PDB file of all heavy atoms in Angstrom:
ATOM      1  N   ASP A  25     189.088  87.249 201.848  1.00  0.00           N
ATOM      2  CA  ASP A  25     188.393  87.590 200.609  1.00  0.00           C
ATOM      3  C   ASP A  25     186.897  87.369 200.790  1.00  0.00           C
ATOM      4  O   ASP A  25     186.466  86.556 201.608  1.00  0.00           O
ATOM      5  CB  ASP A  25     188.896  86.688 199.462  1.00  0.00           C
ATOM      6  CG  ASP A  25     190.348  86.957 199.121  1.00  0.00           C
ATOM      7  OD1 ASP A  25     190.767  88.132 199.158  1.00  0.00           O
ATOM      8  OD2 ASP A  25     191.065  85.979 198.834  1.00  0.00           O
ATOM      9  N   TYR A  26     186.115  88.055 199.984  1.00  0.00           N
ATOM     10  CA  TYR A  26     184.661  87.927 200.047  1.00  0.00           C
ATOM     11  C   TYR A  26     184.206  86.482 199.856  1.00  0.00           C
ATOM     12  O   TYR A  26     183.225  86.049 200.439  1.00  0.00           O
ATOM     13  CB  TYR A  26     183.996  88.831 198.999  1.00  0.00           C
ATOM     14  CG  TYR A  26     183.940  90.272 199.428  1.00  0.00           C
ATOM     15  CD1 TYR A  26     185.025  91.120 199.265  1.00  0.00           C
ATOM     16  CD2 TYR A  26     182.789  90.802 200.014  1.00  0.00           C
ATOM     17  CE1 TYR A  26     184.973  92.441 199.665  1.00  0.00           C
ATOM     18  CE2 TYR A  26     182.720  92.118 200.428  1.00  0.00           C
ATOM     19  CZ  TYR A  26     183.815  92.936 200.243  1.00  0.00           C
ATOM     20  OH  TYR A  26     183.762  94.240 200.656  1.00  0.00           O
ATOM     21  N   SER A  27     184.952  85.720 199.063  1.00  0.00           N
ATOM     22  CA  SER A  27     184.569  84.335 198.771  1.00  0.00           C
ATOM     23  C   SER A  27     184.627  83.434 200.021  1.00  0.00           C
ATOM     24  O   SER A  27     184.021  82.372 200.042  1.00  0.00           O
ATOM     25  CB  SER A  27     185.471  83.759 197.680  1.00  0.00           C
ATOM     26  OG  SER A  27     186.827  83.796 198.088  1.00  0.00           O
ATOM     27  N   ASN A  28     185.346  83.860 201.054  1.00  0.00           N
ATOM     28  CA  ASN A  28     185.475  83.047 202.271  1.00  0.00           C
ATOM     29  C   ASN A  28     184.505  83.443 203.388  1.00  0.00           C
ATOM     30  O   ASN A  28     184.508  82.821 204.453  1.00  0.00           O
ATOM     31  CB  ASN A  28     186.903  83.168 202.819  1.00  0.00           C
ATOM     32  CG  ASN A  28     187.935  82.549 201.914  1.00  0.00           C
ATOM     33  OD1 ASN A  28     187.658  81.558 201.241  1.00  0.00           O
ATOM     34  ND2 ASN A  28     189.108  83.133 201.884  1.00  0.00           N
ATOM     35  N   THR A  29     183.671  84.458 203.169  1.00  0.00           N
ATOM     36  CA  THR A  29     182.857  84.975 204.273  1.00  0.00           C
ATOM     37  C   THR A  29     181.826  83.969 204.780  1.00  0.00           C
ATOM     38  O   THR A  29     181.604  83.894 205.987  1.00  0.00           O
ATOM     39  CB  THR A  29     182.165  86.308 203.909  1.00  0.00           C
ATOM     40  OG1 THR A  29     181.359  86.103 202.760  1.00  0.00           O
ATOM     41  CG2 THR A  29     183.172  87.415 203.700  1.00  0.00           C
ATOM     42  N   LYS A  30     181.210  83.197 203.882  1.00  0.00           N
ATOM     43  CA  LYS A  30     180.215  82.220 204.346  1.00  0.00           C
ATOM     44  C   LYS A  30     180.851  81.193 205.263  1.00  0.00           C
ATOM     45  O   LYS A  30     180.309  80.854 206.318  1.00  0.00           O
ATOM     46  CB  LYS A  30     179.539  81.511 203.167  1.00  0.00           C
ATOM     47  CG  LYS A  30     178.350  82.241 202.626  1.00  0.00           C
ATOM     48  CD  LYS A  30     177.595  81.396 201.637  1.00  0.00           C
ATOM     49  CE  LYS A  30     176.367  82.147 201.176  1.00  0.00           C
ATOM     50  NZ  LYS A  30     175.574  81.422 200.226  1.00  0.00           N
ATOM     51  N   LYS A  31     182.007  80.682 204.853  1.00  0.00           N
ATOM     52  CA  LYS A  31     182.707  79.685 205.658  1.00  0.00           C
ATOM     53  C   LYS A  31     183.134  80.291 207.003  1.00  0.00           C
ATOM     54  O   LYS A  31     182.949  79.671 208.054  1.00  0.00           O
ATOM     55  CB  LYS A  31     183.930  79.169 204.898  1.00  0.00           C
ATOM     56  CG  LYS A  31     184.651  78.062 205.626  1.00  0.00           C
ATOM     57  CD  LYS A  31     185.755  77.483 204.773  1.00  0.00           C
ATOM     58  CE  LYS A  31     186.331  76.265 205.451  1.00  0.00           C
ATOM     59  NZ  LYS A  31     187.330  75.607 204.637  1.00  0.00           N
ATOM     60  N   LEU A  32     183.680  81.512 206.970  1.00  0.00           N
ATOM     61  CA  LEU A  32     184.131  82.158 208.193  1.00  0.00           C
ATOM     62  C   LEU A  32     182.946  82.494 209.104  1.00  0.00           C
ATOM     63  O   LEU A  32     183.008  82.303 210.320  1.00  0.00           O
ATOM     64  CB  LEU A  32     184.942  83.417 207.878  1.00  0.00           C
ATOM     65  CG  LEU A  32     185.633  84.081 209.060  1.00  0.00           C
ATOM     66  CD1 LEU A  32     186.517  83.104 209.836  1.00  0.00           C
ATOM     67  CD2 LEU A  32     186.455  85.272 208.592  1.00  0.00           C
ATOM     68  N   ASP A  33     181.845  82.950 208.530  1.00  0.00           N
ATOM     69  CA  ASP A  33     180.641  83.220 209.331  1.00  0.00           C
ATOM     70  C   ASP A  33     180.173  81.945 210.036  1.00  0.00           C
ATOM     71  O   ASP A  33     179.748  81.994 211.193  1.00  0.00           O
ATOM     72  CB  ASP A  33     179.500  83.770 208.459  1.00  0.00           C
ATOM     73  CG  ASP A  33     179.695  85.225 208.090  1.00  0.00           C
ATOM     74  OD1 ASP A  33     180.455  85.930 208.785  1.00  0.00           O
ATOM     75  OD2 ASP A  33     179.072  85.659 207.109  1.00  0.00           O
ATOM     76  N   TYR A  34     180.270  80.814 209.359  1.00  0.00           N
ATOM     77  CA  TYR A  34     179.871  79.545 209.967  1.00  0.00           C
ATOM     78  C   TYR A  34     180.801  79.192 211.133  1.00  0.00           C
ATOM     79  O   TYR A  34     180.342  78.805 212.211  1.00  0.00           O
ATOM     80  CB  TYR A  34     179.862  78.410 208.937  1.00  0.00           C
ATOM     81  CG  TYR A  34     179.489  77.088 209.555  1.00  0.00           C
ATOM     82  CD1 TYR A  34     178.162  76.806 209.871  1.00  0.00           C
ATOM     83  CD2 TYR A  34     180.464  76.145 209.858  1.00  0.00           C
ATOM     84  CE1 TYR A  34     177.815  75.601 210.476  1.00  0.00           C
ATOM     85  CE2 TYR A  34     180.124  74.936 210.461  1.00  0.00           C
ATOM     86  CZ  TYR A  34     178.797  74.672 210.766  1.00  0.00           C
ATOM     87  OH  TYR A  34     178.459  73.497 211.371  1.00  0.00           O
ATOM     88  N   ILE A  35     182.105  79.334 210.932  1.00  0.00           N
ATOM     89  CA  ILE A  35     183.085  79.036 211.984  1.00  0.00           C
ATOM     90  C   ILE A  35     182.876  79.950 213.196  1.00  0.00           C
ATOM     91  O   ILE A  35     183.014  79.533 214.342  1.00  0.00           O
ATOM     92  CB  ILE A  35     184.533  79.166 211.441  1.00  0.00           C
ATOM     93  CG1 ILE A  35     184.803  78.034 210.430  1.00  0.00           C
ATOM     94  CG2 ILE A  35     185.561  79.169 212.562  1.00  0.00           C
ATOM     95  CD1 ILE A  35     186.098  78.185 209.658  1.00  0.00           C
ATOM     96  N   LEU A  36     182.490  81.199 212.927  1.00  0.00           N
ATOM     97  CA  LEU A  36     182.350  82.195 213.999  1.00  0.00           C
ATOM     98  C   LEU A  36     180.930  82.302 214.564  1.00  0.00           C
ATOM     99  O   LEU A  36     180.646  83.198 215.351  1.00  0.00           O
ATOM    100  CB  LEU A  36     182.781  83.573 213.484  1.00  0.00           C
ATOM    101  CG  LEU A  36     184.228  83.699 213.018  1.00  0.00           C
ATOM    102  CD1 LEU A  36     184.476  85.085 212.443  1.00  0.00           C
ATOM    103  CD2 LEU A  36     185.197  83.388 214.147  1.00  0.00           C
ATOM    104  N   LYS A  37     180.061  81.383 214.188  1.00  0.00           N
ATOM    105  CA  LYS A  37     178.640  81.510 214.571  1.00  0.00           C
ATOM    106  C   LYS A  37     178.412  81.608 216.074  1.00  0.00           C
ATOM    107  O   LYS A  37     177.458  82.226 216.516  1.00  0.00           O
ATOM    108  CB  LYS A  37     177.807  80.388 213.962  1.00  0.00           C
ATOM    109  CG  LYS A  37     178.039  79.012 214.557  1.00  0.00           C
ATOM    110  CD  LYS A  37     177.210  77.958 213.855  1.00  0.00           C
ATOM    111  CE  LYS A  37     177.341  76.589 214.439  1.00  0.00           C
ATOM    112  NZ  LYS A  37     178.647  75.996 214.504  1.00  0.00           N
ATOM    113  N   ASP A  38     179.305  81.026 216.883  1.00  0.00           N
ATOM    114  CA  ASP A  38     179.147  81.075 218.332  1.00  0.00           C
ATOM    115  C   ASP A  38     180.080  82.079 219.007  1.00  0.00           C
ATOM    116  O   ASP A  38     180.126  82.157 220.232  1.00  0.00           O
ATOM    117  CB  ASP A  38     179.401  79.688 218.944  1.00  0.00           C
ATOM    118  CG  ASP A  38     178.365  78.672 218.484  1.00  0.00           C
ATOM    119  OD1 ASP A  38     177.203  79.070 218.297  1.00  0.00           O
ATOM    120  OD2 ASP A  38     178.730  77.490 218.320  1.00  0.00           O
ATOM    121  N   GLU A  39     180.819  82.842 218.219  1.00  0.00           N
ATOM    122  CA  GLU A  39     181.777  83.808 218.776  1.00  0.00           C
ATOM    123  C   GLU A  39     181.180  85.217 218.755  1.00  0.00           C
ATOM    124  O   GLU A  39     180.212  85.486 218.049  1.00  0.00           O
ATOM    125  CB  GLU A  39     183.088  83.786 217.978  1.00  0.00           C
ATOM    126  CG  GLU A  39     183.709  82.412 217.817  1.00  0.00           C
ATOM    127  CD  GLU A  39     183.926  81.669 219.132  1.00  0.00           C
ATOM    128  OE1 GLU A  39     184.230  82.304 220.147  1.00  0.00           O
ATOM    129  OE2 GLU A  39     183.776  80.429 219.140  1.00  0.00           O
ATOM    130  N   VAL A  40     181.806  86.103 219.526  1.00  0.00           N
ATOM    131  CA  VAL A  40     181.379  87.507 219.560  1.00  0.00           C
ATOM    132  C   VAL A  40     182.085  88.241 218.422  1.00  0.00           C
ATOM    133  O   VAL A  40     183.310  88.333 218.396  1.00  0.00           O
ATOM    134  CB  VAL A  40     181.728  88.158 220.917  1.00  0.00           C
ATOM    135  CG1 VAL A  40     181.413  89.646 220.889  1.00  0.00           C
ATOM    136  CG2 VAL A  40     180.987  87.462 222.035  1.00  0.00           C
ATOM    137  N   ILE A  41     181.289  88.746 217.483  1.00  0.00           N
ATOM    138  CA  ILE A  41     181.842  89.559 216.386  1.00  0.00           C
ATOM    139  C   ILE A  41     181.649  91.017 216.793  1.00  0.00           C
ATOM    140  O   ILE A  41     180.527  91.512 216.859  1.00  0.00           O
ATOM    141  CB  ILE A  41     181.164  89.244 215.046  1.00  0.00           C
ATOM    142  CG1 ILE A  41     181.399  87.774 214.678  1.00  0.00           C
ATOM    143  CG2 ILE A  41     181.694  90.180 213.956  1.00  0.00           C
ATOM    144  CD1 ILE A  41     180.662  87.305 213.436  1.00  0.00           C
ATOM    145  N   ILE A  42     182.755  91.685 217.093  1.00  0.00           N
ATOM    146  CA  ILE A  42     182.707  93.075 217.551  1.00  0.00           C
ATOM    147  C   ILE A  42     182.427  94.003 216.379  1.00  0.00           C
ATOM    148  O   ILE A  42     181.655  94.951 216.490  1.00  0.00           O
ATOM    149  CB  ILE A  42     184.040  93.466 218.228  1.00  0.00           C
ATOM    150  CG1 ILE A  42     184.266  92.579 219.462  1.00  0.00           C
ATOM    151  CG2 ILE A  42     184.052  94.939 218.607  1.00  0.00           C
ATOM    152  CD1 ILE A  42     185.663  92.675 220.033  1.00  0.00           C
ATOM    153  N   ASP A  43     183.065  93.710 215.237  1.00  0.00           N
ATOM    154  CA  ASP A  43     182.898  94.571 214.060  1.00  0.00           C
ATOM    155  C   ASP A  43     183.175  93.754 212.803  1.00  0.00           C
ATOM    156  O   ASP A  43     183.946  92.798 212.824  1.00  0.00           O
ATOM    157  CB  ASP A  43     183.877  95.758 214.148  1.00  0.00           C
ATOM    158  CG  ASP A  43     183.578  96.853 213.130  1.00  0.00           C
ATOM    159  OD1 ASP A  43     182.427  96.935 212.649  1.00  0.00           O
ATOM    160  OD2 ASP A  43     184.492  97.638 212.827  1.00  0.00           O
ATOM    161  N   LYS A  44     182.528  94.169 211.714  1.00  0.00           N
ATOM    162  CA  LYS A  44     182.712  93.522 210.419  1.00  0.00           C
ATOM    163  C   LYS A  44     182.718  94.646 209.383  1.00  0.00           C
ATOM    164  O   LYS A  44     181.741  95.389 209.271  1.00  0.00           O
ATOM    165  CB  LYS A  44     181.563  92.542 210.176  1.00  0.00           C
ATOM    166  CG  LYS A  44     181.756  91.566 209.063  1.00  0.00           C
ATOM    167  CD  LYS A  44     180.611  90.554 209.133  1.00  0.00           C
ATOM    168  CE  LYS A  44     180.607  89.576 208.021  1.00  0.00           C
ATOM    169  NZ  LYS A  44     179.462  88.661 208.095  1.00  0.00           N
ATOM    170  N   GLN A  45     183.837  94.784 208.642  1.00  0.00           N
ATOM    171  CA  GLN A  45     183.986  95.874 207.682  1.00  0.00           C
ATOM    172  C   GLN A  45     184.201  95.308 206.284  1.00  0.00           C
ATOM    173  O   GLN A  45     184.917  94.332 206.109  1.00  0.00           O
ATOM    174  CB  GLN A  45     185.179  96.762 208.070  1.00  0.00           C
ATOM    175  CG  GLN A  45     185.052  97.366 209.445  1.00  0.00           C
ATOM    176  CD  GLN A  45     186.362  97.989 209.925  1.00  0.00           C
ATOM    177  OE1 GLN A  45     187.343  98.058 209.190  1.00  0.00           O
ATOM    178  NE2 GLN A  45     186.378  98.427 211.173  1.00  0.00           N
ATOM    179  N   PHE A  46     183.572  95.969 205.323  1.00  0.00           N
ATOM    180  CA  PHE A  46     183.655  95.520 203.931  1.00  0.00           C
ATOM    181  C   PHE A  46     184.404  96.571 203.112  1.00  0.00           C
ATOM    182  O   PHE A  46     183.882  97.650 202.862  1.00  0.00           O
ATOM    183  CB  PHE A  46     182.247  95.300 203.364  1.00  0.00           C
ATOM    184  CG  PHE A  46     181.462  94.254 204.105  1.00  0.00           C
ATOM    185  CD1 PHE A  46     180.656  94.600 205.181  1.00  0.00           C
ATOM    186  CD2 PHE A  46     181.539  92.922 203.751  1.00  0.00           C
ATOM    187  CE1 PHE A  46     179.936  93.646 205.866  1.00  0.00           C
ATOM    188  CE2 PHE A  46     180.826  91.951 204.437  1.00  0.00           C
ATOM    189  CZ  PHE A  46     180.019  92.315 205.496  1.00  0.00           C
ATOM    190  N   ASN A  47     185.641  96.224 202.704  1.00  0.00           N
ATOM    191  CA  ASN A  47     186.438  97.092 201.830  1.00  0.00           C
ATOM    192  C   ASN A  47     186.981  96.217 200.698  1.00  0.00           C
ATOM    193  O   ASN A  47     186.226  95.440 200.144  1.00  0.00           O
ATOM    194  CB  ASN A  47     187.549  97.779 202.633  1.00  0.00           C
ATOM    195  CG  ASN A  47     186.983  98.754 203.662  1.00  0.00           C
ATOM    196  OD1 ASN A  47     186.182  99.615 203.320  1.00  0.00           O
ATOM    197  ND2 ASN A  47     187.372  98.602 204.930  1.00  0.00           N
ATOM    198  N   ASP A  48     188.269  96.319 200.389  1.00  0.00           N
ATOM    199  CA  ASP A  48     188.852  95.416 199.392  1.00  0.00           C
ATOM    200  C   ASP A  48     188.719  93.968 199.862  1.00  0.00           C
ATOM    201  O   ASP A  48     188.537  93.067 199.059  1.00  0.00           O
ATOM    202  CB  ASP A  48     190.334  95.730 199.168  1.00  0.00           C
ATOM    203  CG  ASP A  48     190.552  97.105 198.548  1.00  0.00           C
ATOM    204  OD1 ASP A  48     189.573  97.676 198.012  1.00  0.00           O
ATOM    205  OD2 ASP A  48     191.688  97.603 198.620  1.00  0.00           O
ATOM    206  N   LYS A  49     188.847  93.794 201.159  1.00  0.00           N
ATOM    207  CA  LYS A  49     188.648  92.499 201.794  1.00  0.00           C
ATOM    208  C   LYS A  49     187.642  92.684 202.919  1.00  0.00           C
ATOM    209  O   LYS A  49     187.289  93.798 203.274  1.00  0.00           O
ATOM    210  CB  LYS A  49     189.970  91.972 202.361  1.00  0.00           C
ATOM    211  CG  LYS A  49     190.975  91.614 201.280  1.00  0.00           C
ATOM    212  CD  LYS A  49     192.197  90.951 201.885  1.00  0.00           C
ATOM    213  CE  LYS A  49     193.099  90.496 200.769  1.00  0.00           C
ATOM    214  NZ  LYS A  49     193.476  89.114 200.886  1.00  0.00           N
ATOM    215  N   VAL A  50     187.198  91.578 203.484  1.00  0.00           N
ATOM    216  CA  VAL A  50     186.293  91.645 204.636  1.00  0.00           C
ATOM    217  C   VAL A  50     187.149  91.534 205.896  1.00  0.00           C
ATOM    218  O   VAL A  50     187.995  90.648 206.005  1.00  0.00           O
ATOM    219  CB  VAL A  50     185.248  90.508 204.609  1.00  0.00           C
ATOM    220  CG1 VAL A  50     184.305  90.648 205.797  1.00  0.00           C
ATOM    221  CG2 VAL A  50     184.471  90.517 203.303  1.00  0.00           C
ATOM    222  N   LYS A  51     186.937  92.474 206.807  1.00  0.00           N
ATOM    223  CA  LYS A  51     187.714  92.510 208.047  1.00  0.00           C
ATOM    224  C   LYS A  51     186.778  92.248 209.225  1.00  0.00           C
ATOM    225  O   LYS A  51     185.777  92.931 209.395  1.00  0.00           O
ATOM    226  CB  LYS A  51     188.378  93.875 208.208  1.00  0.00           C
ATOM    227  CG  LYS A  51     189.202  94.036 209.450  1.00  0.00           C
ATOM    228  CD  LYS A  51     189.847  95.420 209.469  1.00  0.00           C
ATOM    229  CE  LYS A  51     190.601  95.671 210.746  1.00  0.00           C
ATOM    230  NZ  LYS A  51     191.183  97.032 210.734  1.00  0.00           N
ATOM    231  N   TYR A  52     187.106  91.230 210.014  1.00  0.00           N
ATOM    232  CA  TYR A  52     186.348  90.875 211.207  1.00  0.00           C
ATOM    233  C   TYR A  52     187.200  91.240 212.427  1.00  0.00           C
ATOM    234  O   TYR A  52     188.406  90.989 212.435  1.00  0.00           O
ATOM    235  CB  TYR A  52     186.108  89.373 211.289  1.00  0.00           C
ATOM    236  CG  TYR A  52     185.190  88.779 210.265  1.00  0.00           C
ATOM    237  CD1 TYR A  52     185.591  88.580 208.948  1.00  0.00           C
ATOM    238  CD2 TYR A  52     183.919  88.341 210.624  1.00  0.00           C
ATOM    239  CE1 TYR A  52     184.758  87.991 208.015  1.00  0.00           C
ATOM    240  CE2 TYR A  52     183.079  87.744 209.695  1.00  0.00           C
ATOM    241  CZ  TYR A  52     183.505  87.579 208.401  1.00  0.00           C
ATOM    242  OH  TYR A  52     182.675  86.987 207.478  1.00  0.00           O
ATOM    243  N   ILE A  53     186.556  91.766 213.454  1.00  0.00           N
ATOM    244  CA  ILE A  53     187.191  91.914 214.760  1.00  0.00           C
ATOM    245  C   ILE A  53     186.338  91.086 215.710  1.00  0.00           C
ATOM    246  O   ILE A  53     185.130  91.315 215.828  1.00  0.00           O
ATOM    247  CB  ILE A  53     187.271  93.388 215.203  1.00  0.00           C
ATOM    248  CG1 ILE A  53     188.062  94.199 214.165  1.00  0.00           C
ATOM    249  CG2 ILE A  53     187.902  93.496 216.594  1.00  0.00           C
ATOM    250  CD1 ILE A  53     188.056  95.687 214.408  1.00  0.00           C
ATOM    251  N   ILE A  54     186.974  90.094 216.327  1.00  0.00           N
ATOM    252  CA  ILE A  54     186.208  89.121 217.129  1.00  0.00           C
ATOM    253  C   ILE A  54     186.853  88.888 218.488  1.00  0.00           C
ATOM    254  O   ILE A  54     188.016  89.236 218.710  1.00  0.00           O
ATOM    255  CB  ILE A  54     186.080  87.767 216.398  1.00  0.00           C
ATOM    256  CG1 ILE A  54     187.453  87.095 216.264  1.00  0.00           C
ATOM    257  CG2 ILE A  54     185.437  87.930 215.043  1.00  0.00           C
ATOM    258  CD1 ILE A  54     187.387  85.612 215.983  1.00  0.00           C
ATOM    259  N   GLU A  55     186.068  88.250 219.369  1.00  0.00           N
ATOM    260  CA  GLU A  55     186.584  87.692 220.613  1.00  0.00           C
ATOM    261  C   GLU A  55     186.430  86.187 220.498  1.00  0.00           C
ATOM    262  O   GLU A  55     185.370  85.698 220.111  1.00  0.00           O
ATOM    263  CB  GLU A  55     185.774  88.190 221.817  1.00  0.00           C
ATOM    264  CG  GLU A  55     185.931  89.661 222.076  1.00  0.00           C
ATOM    265  CD  GLU A  55     185.080  90.158 223.235  1.00  0.00           C
ATOM    266  OE1 GLU A  55     184.224  89.383 223.743  1.00  0.00           O
ATOM    267  OE2 GLU A  55     185.260  91.313 223.621  1.00  0.00           O
ATOM    268  N   ILE A  56     187.503  85.453 220.829  1.00  0.00           N
ATOM    269  CA  ILE A  56     187.460  83.997 220.698  1.00  0.00           C
ATOM    270  C   ILE A  56     188.195  83.337 221.865  1.00  0.00           C
ATOM    271  O   ILE A  56     189.216  83.848 222.339  1.00  0.00           O
ATOM    272  CB  ILE A  56     188.045  83.540 219.332  1.00  0.00           C
ATOM    273  CG1 ILE A  56     187.771  82.061 219.072  1.00  0.00           C
ATOM    274  CG2 ILE A  56     189.514  83.891 219.214  1.00  0.00           C
ATOM    275  CD1 ILE A  56     188.023  81.631 217.630  1.00  0.00           C
ATOM    276  N   ASP A  57     187.664  82.229 222.323  1.00  0.00           N
ATOM    277  CA  ASP A  57     188.252  81.411 223.379  1.00  0.00           C
ATOM    278  C   ASP A  57     189.634  80.933 222.908  1.00  0.00           C
ATOM    279  O   ASP A  57     189.807  80.546 221.749  1.00  0.00           O
ATOM    280  CB  ASP A  57     187.312  80.210 223.606  1.00  0.00           C
ATOM    281  CG  ASP A  57     187.703  79.352 224.786  1.00  0.00           C
ATOM    282  OD1 ASP A  57     188.898  79.061 224.968  1.00  0.00           O
ATOM    283  OD2 ASP A  57     186.784  78.970 225.534  1.00  0.00           O
ATOM    284  N   LYS A  58     190.624  80.957 223.806  1.00  0.00           N
ATOM    285  CA  LYS A  58     191.980  80.507 223.459  1.00  0.00           C
ATOM    286  C   LYS A  58     191.970  79.097 222.877  1.00  0.00           C
ATOM    287  O   LYS A  58     192.742  78.780 221.979  1.00  0.00           O
ATOM    288  CB  LYS A  58     192.892  80.529 224.688  1.00  0.00           C
ATOM    289  CG  LYS A  58     193.568  81.828 224.935  1.00  0.00           C
ATOM    290  CD  LYS A  58     194.599  81.690 226.047  1.00  0.00           C
ATOM    291  CE  LYS A  58     195.324  83.008 226.222  1.00  0.00           C
ATOM    292  NZ  LYS A  58     196.378  82.922 227.229  1.00  0.00           N
ATOM    293  N   GLU A  59     191.087  78.254 223.400  1.00  0.00           N
ATOM    294  CA  GLU A  59     191.043  76.866 222.946  1.00  0.00           C
ATOM    295  C   GLU A  59     190.484  76.729 221.534  1.00  0.00           C
ATOM    296  O   GLU A  59     190.628  75.685 220.918  1.00  0.00           O
ATOM    297  CB  GLU A  59     190.225  76.028 223.928  1.00  0.00           C
ATOM    298  CG  GLU A  59     190.895  75.892 225.281  1.00  0.00           C
ATOM    299  CD  GLU A  59     190.101  75.052 226.259  1.00  0.00           C
ATOM    300  OE1 GLU A  59     189.100  74.434 225.862  1.00  0.00           O
ATOM    301  OE2 GLU A  59     190.510  75.001 227.429  1.00  0.00           O
ATOM    302  N   LYS A  60     189.837  77.776 221.028  1.00  0.00           N
ATOM    303  CA  LYS A  60     189.232  77.691 219.692  1.00  0.00           C
ATOM    304  C   LYS A  60     190.019  78.443 218.621  1.00  0.00           C
ATOM    305  O   LYS A  60     189.604  78.498 217.475  1.00  0.00           O
ATOM    306  CB  LYS A  60     187.803  78.247 219.749  1.00  0.00           C
ATOM    307  CG  LYS A  60     186.872  77.429 220.609  1.00  0.00           C
ATOM    308  CD  LYS A  60     185.479  78.006 220.569  1.00  0.00           C
ATOM    309  CE  LYS A  60     184.544  77.218 221.443  1.00  0.00           C
ATOM    310  NZ  LYS A  60     183.202  77.815 221.468  1.00  0.00           N
ATOM    311  N   ILE A  61     191.169  78.999 218.985  1.00  0.00           N
ATOM    312  CA  ILE A  61     191.951  79.798 218.027  1.00  0.00           C
ATOM    313  C   ILE A  61     192.388  78.950 216.825  1.00  0.00           C
ATOM    314  O   ILE A  61     192.489  79.452 215.704  1.00  0.00           O
ATOM    315  CB  ILE A  61     193.153  80.495 218.704  1.00  0.00           C
ATOM    316  CG1 ILE A  61     193.742  81.582 217.805  1.00  0.00           C
ATOM    317  CG2 ILE A  61     194.208  79.517 219.124  1.00  0.00           C
ATOM    318  CD1 ILE A  61     192.896  82.816 217.686  1.00  0.00           C
TER     319      ILE A  61
END
């Protein structure tokens, strides 16, 4: 949900965000280290 984007952006600050789409919900496509899942 849009209300969680600030928190998620903070968690993902060091990750590669391939794409971010804004529709009914916010959709992130990312690359993340297995140890950080």
Side-chain angles (χ1 to χ4, degrees):
D25 294 322
Y26 281 83
S27 59
N28 293 327
T29 58
K30 273 190 177 180
K31 184 174 188 176
L32 188 54
D33 284 339
Y34 178 76
I35 291 170
L36 299 176
K37 71 182 183 302
D38 296 325
E39 307 306 325
V40 174
I41 299 174
I42 298 168
D43 192 22
K44 194 171 175 182
Q45 301 168 5
F46 299 91
N47 294 308
D48 295 344
K49 292 187 175 232
V50 182
K51 180 178 176 181
Y52 292 75
I53 301 173
I54 66 161
E55 293 178 351
I56 191 166
D57 187 317
K58 272 188 177 183
E59 293 181 8
K60 295 182 181 177
I61 194 73

